[in-house]
Amino acid sequence: MSSTTPTAPSVAPKPGTRTIRIRVKRCEGPGKPERWEEFTLQVSAGDGTNVIAALQRIAAKPVTVEGKNTIPVAWDSGCLEEVCGACTMVVNGKVRQSCSALMDTIAPNEGDVVTLEPMSKFPVIRDLVVDRSRVFHNLKRVKAWVPVDGTYDLGAGPKESPETQETRYVLSTCMSCGCCLEACPQFTKQENPETWDSAFLGAHAISQARLFNMHGTGKQLEKERLEALAGPGGVDDCGNAQNCVKVCPKRIPLTESIGAMGRAVTIHAVKKLFTLR
Amino acid sequence: MAVTGAQKRVIVVGGGLAGLAGTVRLVESGLKVDLFSVVPVKRSHSVCAQGGINACNEVARQQGYSEYEHFDETIYGGDFLADQHPVLEMANWAPKIIDLLDRMGVPFNRTSEGYRDLRLFGGSLFKRTHFAGATTGQQLLYAMDEQVRRHEAAGDVTKYEHWEFLSPIIHDGRCVGIVAQDIRTMQIRAFRAEAVVMATGGCGLIYGKSTNSVMCNGAAAARCYREGAYYANAEMIQVHPTAIPGADKLRLMSESARGEGGRVWVPAIKRADGTWGPHPRSGQDPKSIPDNERYYFLEEKYPKYGNIVPRDIATREIFDICVNQGMGVGNQNQVYLDLTHRDKDYLQRKLEGILEIYEKFVGEDPYTTPMRIFPAVHYSMGGLWTKFVKGTYNPPKPLPKHVSGKRAPINAEVGQGMAYGDPANAMTNIDGLYAFGEVNFAYHGANRLGANALLSCIFDGLFCGVGVANYVRDGAPSKAPSKDLPQGAYDGAVERETARMKKLISAVDLGKAADEATNPYVIGRELGVEMTEACTVVRTGPRLEQCLQRLGDLRARYNRLTLADAGGWTNQSLSYARALGDMLDLSDAVARGALERKESRGAHYRPDYKDRNDAEFMKTTLARRESDGSAHVEFIPIDASLVEPTARTYGKKDDSKPAPTPPTPGSTGVPSRPVPTTVGSGV
Ligand SMILES: Cc1cc2nc3c(=O)[nH]c(=O)nc-3n(C[C@H](O)[C@H](O)[C@H](O)COP(=O)(O)OP(=O)(O)OC[C@H]3O[C@@H](n4cnc5c(N)ncnc54)[C@H](O)[C@@H]3O)c2cc1C
Ligand code: SF4
Ligand code: SF4
Ligand code: FES
C-alpha cells in the first residue's frame, strides 16, 4: 500500500471537451429587478458535470461571459442524488431537480445554452432560491401524519399486505419538491400566507392525504382530511390537466391519487348528507 | 396556546432523524422545542440512507439471535473502541424502535403474510435489517417529520428552518442558549433555552466530495468544539468501497450490486511470471477488452469470497490497484464493477433502484456497460464527546466474545446498559449541551456496521431525550431558569458572532473574487483534496505531518480570504466562508488524531503501525481546541467491562469449513476487519 491516498476523480475524461453557456436568471432579493447573466463553462463528455457542479465551478470563478467579476449565484441543494427535493428549479424551461440534470444530456453540443430559472409559483428569495414553505404548510392542512399515541413501547403497528405496502411506499417517496405544483395550471403563486388556506392544495398534498387514509391508524383522521379536500382549494379545483403526473420525478401516480380522493370526497359528502338528516 | 411557567423551552439544532426523534420525545415530556435547521428538516441528510435499520426481531430471535448478539457484533465490528454500556442499551432498544416506526406508518417491506420483511446485512449471520424499499432513511425521516409537523400544528414545536447555528451560549459553565443566523435575512439573534441538543450530523464535506449531503460540513460541531466541547475519535472516518465518482458528489453504489453477482475488474496484461501490468487500451471501450485481459483482482486474490470480501478489504485492494499498481481504468482512480453478464430482467427485479441512480448520474447504461466505481468517504464514527451513566448490568469481569446463536447471558431489559432518564447521558462536557445522532461519537467505535447509524440516531432521540427532560426539570435550569439570566450573556455572544461576520464581509473584494489563492471555494476544494489524500484509507506518519503543515498553509490563506458578496441578504458565500474556518478546525483534529493513534484499528489503518495496540490505544481520542485552531489530543480509557477484546480475524486462517462468522480469506499483515456485507442495499 502506498503512503498516500488519492482523490477520487471525476469520471474518465473522454476526448473532446466543449464549451457551453449557462444563462442564469438573477435577482438579488424580493422586489429587486431580474436580470440575466451568462457564463461559459468547459465540459467534456462523461465528466459527470451536472447543473450543481456547474454552479459550484462558477462560484469558484464568478466571471461572466463578458469578463465581468460578479457575485456567485445563490442556489439550493442537499442530497445531490434526487432524494431530498432541495435543488428544484426550471432548467431549460422544464421544472426538475437540477442535481440530476447532466450537461451531457441537456447541453451535449458545443455552444449549447442551458437556462436556469427559479420556480415561478413560489416567491423568489434570491437568484435560484425560492420559498416553498407553502408546500409544507399544505401538509398540515391535510393532516399528513399518523396520529400515534406517543413514542412509548406499545408493540407493533398494524399488519399490512405487501400490495398495500407497495402502493403506500410509492406515495411515501414524495419529497415535497413542488415540481407537480410548478407544472399545474391551477396552482398559482400566493405571495401572502393568509391566502394559503383557501388556495388550491395541489397534487402533492392530495396524494399525501391518500397515503395517510390508506394506513390502518392514519385512517382515524380520514374524515378530517376529506373535509379539507372538500373545502376551498380542495380536489374540486383540479382541472384535470394531468401536467403534474408528467413532471413528478418519483413517478407518483398523482392523477390516480386525485381520482381516488375525488371519489372519497363525494362518498363522504353523500354519507354526511344522510347522517345529518 | 397558553405558555405557562412550567413549559420550558429546549433548543434542538438539526432536524435529521436524531433531531426529529429528540424533538418528539421532548414535547411528550411537556417541553416546548425550538427546532433549528439550515435546510427544511424534511430535506436533511438522513434521506440518503438506503439500506435499512438493524434490530433483533422475533424471527431471528427464534433462530438464536438476541439483542445481546447485536450488541456484541457492534462492539466487535467497531474494533473494541466504543464504550460498551451505551451500545448494549442501544441494541436492547432496537426492537422497540422498529415497532414504533411501524406504528408511525413507515412502509416497511412486508412478507406475504403481512409481517415486516428482513434482509441480511454485513456483520451478522442473522436477518436483522428492516427496510423500506431502497430508501429506508427517507422513509424513517418522513415518519418523524410528520410527527413533528403534528406537534408543530399543535403549537409545541417552533421551527426555525433556514437558520444556521453559529454558537452555543455558555454562562457559568452551562449551555443556556444559542446564537443563530437567518440565512435569508442574515439577522443574527440569541435564543434562550434550558438545554441545547446538537443533532447536526456528520462532516463528510471536509473531504470535499463524499457520499454525504452538502450540509454535512461539521461546522456546527466545530463551533461547539471551539467553545470548549471535546471532540472524540475524530480520525475514525469510514470509507465505503463502492461509490460513483461524480463532479460534485460521490454517490453510493450499494454492496448489493456485488451481492447480486457484480464483478470487479480492470483491463490489464498478464505478464509471463503470472503478475499483471497496465493495459495500453485501458479506459477505452470495456467491451473491446477480451476476457483474458481483464484482471478480476478480488476473485484472484480471494478465491473463496471473490467480490464480496469485507468492505475495507475491497476498499484497500481498489486503492492498491489504482494507486500503487497504476492499473485504474484509463489510469484514473476507478475500477469496473460489472453486471453486464447478468440477465437484465433479473437485475431489474433486484437492483433497479440503484442502477437507475447510476444511469441518471453517469449517463451510461449499467445493464450493458460496466460501471466505474471508487471508494469514498462515507460516515464519521467520531463526533462530540458525550458522557453516559452505566446501567444495571455489570458482570464481575468481561465475558468472552459471544458465540453466535448461543443463549444470551442477559435478557434485554431497559436500563441494563445506561441508566434510563439520567441527565448525563449524551451530555457533552458542557452542562446542558447534548449531542445526538451522527454528531455523537458514542456507538460505533472505530468502524460502524451497516444499518446501525439510523438506529443510533433514533435511540439517542428517544432514550437520551428523556434525560434532557429530566435535566431541565431537576438540574441547574430548575434553580436558575434561562429567563432569569443576565441579558449581557446573550448580547455578548451575539456581538462576537456579528464581529466574526463583519470580519468576513470586510474581506469583500469583487475585483479579487476570481483570485484562486484567497477564494473560499478554491480553498475548500484544496482542503478536500488534501484530507482525502492524507486521512482516508491509508495513513502514514510523514504524510499526516505534511497534512498538518498544509492545513496550516490553508489556514493562512483563509485568514486573507476575499469574498465576492457583501450582500446583507441570502449571502451564501458568507455562510460557506464561515463554515470553512470551522472545517479547518475539524480537519486538524482528524489529522492529529490519526497521527497520534500509532496503531491500526477499524477504519484507521497505519502501514507504519499495522497492529491493533490495545494496551496503549484501546482508548478514546479526545481533542481539545487550542486558541490557534489546532487540536490538542489525548487518549482516555474506555468502558470495556462487558466483553473481552478479541482479535478480529473472522476465521482468516481456515477457509475450508463454514466459519462461525464470515471470514476474511487469505490476506496477511492486514489489520483486523469489519464483517462482509453480502446482501442488502447501500449502507
Ligand atoms: C449515502 C448514505 C447512505 C446511508 N445508508 C445508511 C443505512 O442504510 N443505514 C444506516 O443506518 N445508516 C446509513 N447512513 C448513515 C446515516 O444516514 C446517517 O448517519 C444519519 O442519517 C445521520 O442522521 P443525523 O440525524 O445525525 O443527521 P442528519 O440527517 O445529517 O441531519 C443533520 C441536521 O442538522 C442540520 N444542521 C447541520 N448544520 C447545521 C447548522 N450549522 N445550523 C443549523 N442546522 C444545521 C441539518 O440541516 C440537518 O437538519 C448512510 C449515509 C449515507 C451518506
Ligand atoms: S391534474 Fe389537477 S393537480 Fe394535476 S396538474 Fe392538472 S390541475 Fe394540477
Ligand atoms: S408528488 Fe412528485 S412532483 Fe409533487 S412534490 Fe411529490 S415528488 Fe415532487
Ligand atoms: S439536491 Fe437533493 S434532490 Fe437535488
Side-chain angles (χ1 to χ4, degrees):
Chain A
M1 291 278 148
S2 93
S3 61
T4 58
T5 21
T7 317
S10 307
V11 286
K14 287 179 193 156
T17 58
R18 63 186 189 279
T19 304
I20 57 172
R21 291 166 170 250
I22 314 280
R23 262 166 67 74
V24 185
K25 191 193 253 183
R26 307 212 48 178
C27 171
E28 277 173 29
K32 301 271 172 63
E34 287 170 353
R35 72 196 144 86
W36 287 91
E37 245 172 30
E38 201 168 308
F39 304 87
T40 53
L41 204 69
Q42 294 265 17
V43 293
S44 46
D47 70 1
T49 303
N50 55 11
V51 167
I52 301 291
L55 289 168
Q56 285 171 343
R57 281 173 57 191
I58 293 171
K61 207 174 177 59
V63 182
T64 66
V65 71
E66 296 88 11
K68 187 176 107 232
N69 284 341
T70 186
I71 295 169
V73 179
W75 76 90
D76 260 341
S77 63
C79 65
L80 303 182
E81 51 192 65
E82 209 181 70
V83 72
C84 80
C87 66
T88 311
M89 61 178 81
V90 179
V91 179
N92 284 345
K94 186 175 174 276
V95 67
R96 60 172 299 167
Q97 277 66 55
S98 57
C99 68
S100 55
L102 285 184
M103 292 305 167
D104 281 356
T105 319
I106 60 172
N109 302 310
E110 173 73 27
D112 277 352
V113 178
V114 175
T115 61
L116 305 179
E117 296 167 82
M119 295 167 91
S120 66
K121 299 290 174 73
F122 304 97
V124 173
I125 298 287
R126 186 171 181 173
D127 297 338
L128 303 170
V129 179
V130 296
D131 181 357
R132 278 175 284 176
S133 343
R134 182 177 162 207
V135 181
F136 298 112
H137 177 84
N138 284 350
L139 293 176
K140 287 188 208 153
R141 286 172 70 189
V142 298
K143 297 194 166 35
W145 53 72
V146 174
V148 294
D149 281 351
T151 57
Y152 307 95
D153 181 21
L154 302 173
K159 257 170 85 178
E160 184 171 45
S161 72
E163 292 72 35
T164 319
Q165 184 272 342
E166 277 163 30
T167 313
R168 283 206 314 120
Y169 175 71
V170 176
L171 301 181
S172 186
T173 57
C174 166
M175 51 187 180
S176 298
C177 66
C179 284
C180 56
L181 308 176
E182 176 74 13
C184 170
Q186 301 298 108
F187 189 92
T188 52
K189 187 168 177 174
Q190 306 290 325
E191 300 272 5
N192 182 356
E194 278 168 24
T195 64
W196 287 358
D197 281 336
S198 54
F200 183 38
L201 280 161
H204 154 258
I206 296 172
S207 184
Q208 289 290 299
R210 175 176 176 225
L211 166 65
F212 290 94
N213 281 357
M214 284 181 74
H215 183 261
T217 318
K219 267 197 193 90
Q220 286 172 15
L221 298 177
E222 183 174 14
K223 283 202 190 95
E224 290 165 64
R225 289 192 196 103
L226 294 178
E227 292 288 333
L229 292 179
V235 256
D236 266 2
D237 284 13
C238 165
N240 222 357
Q242 311 217 350
N243 293 3
C244 49
V245 73
K246 288 177 207 140
V247 295
C248 174
K250 296 291 152 188
R251 288 180 292 198
I252 295 172
L254 292 170
T255 39
E256 199 181 294
S257 288
I258 294 167
M261 287 299 94
R263 285 188 299 277
V265 164
T266 313
I267 295 168
H268 176 65
V270 172
K271 268 196 203 153
K272 226 169 80 175
L273 207 65
F274 286 106
T275 45
L276 278 181
R277 294 252 159 105
Chain B
M1 85 224 127
V3 178
T4 68
Q7 283 181 315
K8 298 190 176 137
R9 307 193 82 81
V10 170
I11 284 175
V12 175
V13 185
L17 260 184
L20 295 179
T23 298
V24 172
R25 197 57 149 201
L26 288 165
V27 167
E28 285 178 358
S29 312
L31 295 160
K32 300 271 182 190
V33 174
D34 293 319
L35 176 59
F36 289 76
S37 173
V38 277
V39 292
V41 295
K42 192 174 177 178
R43 310 203 193 284
S44 294
H45 168 64
S46 292
V47 290
C48 288
Q50 302 167 352
I53 173 167
N54 295 332
C56 179
N57 53 83
E58 283 320 303
V59 177
R61 192 189 303 285
Q62 288 168 38
Q63 294 167 344
Y65 193 64
S66 58
E67 286 86 348
Y68 187 83
E69 184 165 345
H70 183 190
F71 151 73
D72 186 81
E73 287 162 357
T74 305
I75 294 291
Y76 187 71
D79 219 352
F80 297 92
L81 189 61
D83 290 302
Q84 297 182 351
H85 275 91
V87 178
L88 177 66
E89 192 67 31
M90 174 175 83
N92 284 354
W93 275 68
K96 304 183 205 305
I97 286 172
I98 302 296
D99 276 350
L100 171 64
L101 294 165
D102 191 19
R103 281 171 49 223
M104 288 178 174
V106 171
F108 283 117
N109 278 46
R110 298 284 160 168
T111 63
S112 52
E113 199 184 334
Y115 290 107
R116 294 178 301 234
D117 202 1
L118 297 155
R119 63 166 48 134
L120 198 58
F121 232 77
S124 189
L125 295 175
F126 293 94
K127 284 191 179 181
R128 54 136 164 73
T129 302
H130 304 71
F131 62 104
T135 61
T136 309
Q138 182 195 41
Q139 297 306 312
L140 303 194
L141 184 80
Y142 289 1
M144 287 293 170
D145 173 66
E146 289 145 11
Q147 294 301 319
V148 167
R149 185 164 294 103
R150 182 179 165 211
H151 291 300
E152 185 192 13
D156 294 326
V157 174
T158 308
K159 280 187 191 153
Y160 292 86
E161 289 174 331
H162 307 289
W163 279 76
E164 184 181 348
F165 164 86
L166 299 184
S167 176
I169 297 177
I170 296 159
H171 179 72
D172 276 348
R174 171 184 141 207
C175 182
V176 294
I178 67 167
V179 184
Q181 180 169 37
D182 181 329
I183 54 178
R184 292 176 163 181
T185 65
M186 306 311 277
Q187 179 200 14
I188 294 182
R189 240 195 86 179
F191 294 82
R192 291 175 189 246
E194 307 311 324
V196 173
V197 176
M198 301 300 297
T200 48
C203 60
L205 237 71
I206 64 175
Y207 288 87
K209 294 190 275 185
S210 70
T211 63
N212 290 12
S213 298
V214 299
M215 313 71 88
C216 303
N217 58 19
R223 289 165 189 165
C224 297
Y225 168 64
R226 185 191 68 209
E227 299 300 320
Y230 303 155
Y231 198 88
N233 294 344
E235 70 277 18
M236 294 305 177
I237 299 280
Q238 184 171 67
V239 179
H240 197 286
T242 58
I244 312 165
D248 54 340
K249 180 183 186 179
L250 311 173
R251 295 172 182 88
L252 190 69
M253 174 46 61
S254 155
E255 263 114 350
S256 48
R258 287 184 288 142
E260 297 298 346
R263 302 179 76 186
V264 176
W265 62 278
V266 289
I269 302 288
K270 198 164 191 165
R271 302 191 188 99
D273 65 356
T275 62
W276 294 85
H279 194 291
R281 282 188 298 114
S282 183
Q284 295 172 29
D285 183 11
K287 277 166 280 186
S288 73
I289 309 284
D291 205 50
N292 62 357
E293 294 175 10
R294 297 176 175 202
Y295 180 19
Y296 295 97
F297 53 96
L298 292 176
E299 293 171 31
E300 197 161 311
K301 289 189 185 169
Y302 304 96
K304 184 150 183 187
Y305 290 86
N307 295 292
I308 50 176
V309 287
R311 212 182 264 184
D312 61 342
I313 293 194
T315 294
R316 279 172 207 150
E317 292 296 346
I318 294 169
F319 265 82
D320 185 53
I321 285 288
C322 296
V323 183
N324 298 342
Q325 323 261 352
M327 287 197 285
V329 174
N331 204 16
Q332 301 260 338
N333 289 325
Q334 53 186 1
V335 301
Y336 288 129
L337 172 54
D338 194 346
L339 281 162
T340 58
H341 55 289
R342 308 256 16 191
D343 176 55
K344 183 161 180 174
D345 281 351
Y346 177 83
L347 290 178
Q348 266 173 340
R349 254 183 303 122
K350 293 285 189 166
L351 299 173
E352 186 172 19
I354 58 166
L355 296 184
E356 207 177 79
I357 293 188
Y358 187 83
E359 199 164 351
K360 195 172 277 170
F361 287 96
V362 179
E364 289 175 356
D365 177 3
Y367 297 99
T368 57
T369 308
M371 298 184 279
R372 287 167 294 161
I373 54 98
F374 195 71
V377 166
H378 184 53
Y379 182 85
S380 171
M381 276 74 72
L384 291 170
W385 180 81
T386 54
K387 302 186 257 199
F388 65 93
V389 176
K390 280 187 193 180
T392 52
Y393 173 60
N394 290 290
K397 67 184 184 60
L399 270 57
K401 173 156 179 41
H402 182 69
V403 177
S404 178
K406 224 186 101 189
R407 198 189 163 87
I410 45 169
N411 296 327
E413 277 162 32
V414 169
Q416 284 171 333
M418 281 199 270
Y420 186 44
D422 197 294
N425 292 328
M427 192 190 270
T428 66
N429 56 307
I430 297 170
D431 269 7
L433 182 66
Y434 290 83
F436 287 7
E438 191 169 337
V439 76
N440 179 2
F441 92 112
Y443 307 101
H444 309 291
N447 174 57
R448 171 177 72 84
L449 288 188
N452 257 354
L454 299 176
L455 174 63
S456 61
C457 288
I458 302 175
F459 171 71
D460 269 345
L462 297 184
F463 184 91
C464 302
V466 178
V468 177
N470 287 339
Y471 167 76
V472 171
R473 202 185 53 213
D474 306 326
S478 64
K479 282 147 231 146
S482 66
K483 68 174 169 33
D484 298 341
L485 300 177
Q487 184 60 30
Y490 294 90
D491 293 345
V494 169
E495 276 159 29
R496 279 193 296 281
E497 288 306 322
T498 309
R500 268 196 190 102
M501 177 177 78
K502 287 217 171 111
K503 180 163 179 280
L504 287 169
I505 293 217
S506 71
V508 170
D509 185 343
L510 206 53
K512 281 214 231 143
D515 178 356
E516 304 234 317
T518 56
N519 179 304
Y521 296 98
V522 176
I523 300 176
R525 195 167 64 206
E526 290 180 27
L527 170 68
V529 170
E530 180 59 21
M531 290 302 289
T532 307
E533 285 184 358
C535 302
T536 45
V537 181
V538 182
R539 302 149 168 204
T540 67
R543 185 64 187 85
L544 289 165
E545 282 179 23
Q546 185 185 32
C547 172
L548 284 164
Q549 209 164 32
R550 291 198 182 151
L551 290 177
D553 297 344
L554 287 174
R555 189 181 294 279
R557 276 167 60 191
Y558 177 75
N559 290 336
R560 292 187 284 116
L561 196 84
T562 44
L563 283 189
D565 187 359
W569 182 263
T570 319
N571 189 336
Q572 294 183 335
S573 309
L574 170 73
S575 294
Y576 181 82
R578 180 171 43 208
L580 183 58
D582 302 305
M583 287 155 68
L584 284 164
D585 284 359
L586 268 198
S587 301
D588 194 281
V590 172
R592 218 168 286 269
L595 178 64
E596 306 212 351
R597 183 174 282 282
K598 296 186 171 69
E599 64 157 356
S600 292
R601 182 186 297 271
H604 175 69
Y605 175 58
R606 289 278 302 257
D608 41 358
Y609 298 94
K610 285 192 176 183
D611 295 319
R612 195 175 86 189
N613 176 349
D614 286 345
E616 277 181 83
F617 293 110
M618 199 168 78
K619 290 183 176 160
T620 299
T621 319
L622 202 71
R624 277 177 247 220
R625 186 181 179 276
E626 307 273 17
S627 55
D628 64 353
S630 66
H632 170 85
V633 167
E634 65 183 284
F635 293 91
I636 61 165
I638 62 162
D639 155 36
S641 58
L642 304 183
V643 262
E644 281 170 8
T646 45
R648 287 162 75 237
T649 56
Y650 285 115
K652 183 166 78 184
K653 296 170 299 267
D654 193 354
D655 280 352
S656 55
K657 55 175 194 263
T661 40
T664 295
S667 98
T668 48
V670 189
S672 40
R673 302 296 187 184
V675 210
T677 300
T678 52
V679 187
S681 192
V683 185

